[in-house]
Amino acid sequence: MARLAAGVVLVTAYDPEDGPQGAYVGMTATAFVSVSLDPPLVLLSVRTGSRMEEVLARRPLWAANLLAEHQRQVAGRFAMKGRLSDRLLFQELPHERGDVAEAPLVDGALAQLECRTEERVPAGDHTLLVARVLTAHVRGSGTDGPLTYFQGRYRPLG
């Protein structure tokens, strides 16, 4: 599967149960695809037992930030094992809070989708989330390319 190029997204959510004011959580993902245009549905695969899977089991609202090629560092930071706390990572990452999902919408992303999980499907060591797209924002100049992941590395398209 390392031979299949994939787009890179930063999945974000707001966890109201994390501390007195809640906290943001984030995860880099490459297993994210469009499923349907009518209704607008997407599919996300998350590792079962991960922090993100646990949050999304309790809270069905989340966001997918489709990363641009210049956001390789963002993708890498949220993909690291044993990384800094998400709280610290989001302090350094320019973003705004989504109106619907209350999840971070990252500045500079090619597009930002706010989603609501409609179905959870166990699949091996992952859980598949089928989600309805509630809002979609296209950002950037239109000249930025997507960040892709191919053969174990982040790469620009082309």
Side-chain angles (χ1 to χ4, degrees), residues 23-54:
Y24 293 143
V25 294
M27 172 193 88
T28 301
T30 56
F32 178 82
V33 295
S34 173
V35 173
S36 169
L37 293 177
D38 188 19
L41 298 173
V42 293
L43 177 83
L44 170 67
S45 178
V46 296
R47 187 173 39 82
T48 302
S50 66
R51 169 92 166 107
M52 183 61 77
E53 193 265 342
E54 184 267 323

Side-chain angles (χ1 to χ4, degrees), residues 59-153:
R59 183 155 170 85
L61 297 171
W62 49 277
N65 298 273
L66 285 60
L67 298 181
E69 58 192 3
H70 69 273
Q71 293 178 305
R72 181 181 308 203
Q73 188 176 35
V74 172
R77 285 183 177 179
F78 281 91
M80 287 179 9
K81 293 181 184 199
R83 65 180 187 238
L84 297 171
S85 75
D86 285 2
R87 194 178 307 270
L88 292 175
L89 290 176
F90 280 110
Q91 284 178 357
E92 298 175 3
L93 181 64
H95 65 277
E96 62 186 55
R97 185 179 182 125
D99 292 333
V100 176
E102 300 181 286
L105 303 178
V106 177
D107 292 0
L110 297 178
Q112 304 153 332
L113 308 175
E114 290 184 276
C115 304
R116 181 185 65 236
T117 300
E118 299 207 339
E119 189 173 347
R120 298 172 54 84
V121 180
D125 60 358
H126 279 64
T127 301
L128 305 178
L129 306 178
V130 178
R132 182 177 298 260
V133 177
L134 304 174
T135 69
H137 307 281
V138 176
R139 306 288 190 203
S141 63
T143 60
D144 289 335
L147 181 61
T148 59
Y149 192 74
F150 179 70
Q151 290 190 316
R153 292 184 24 209

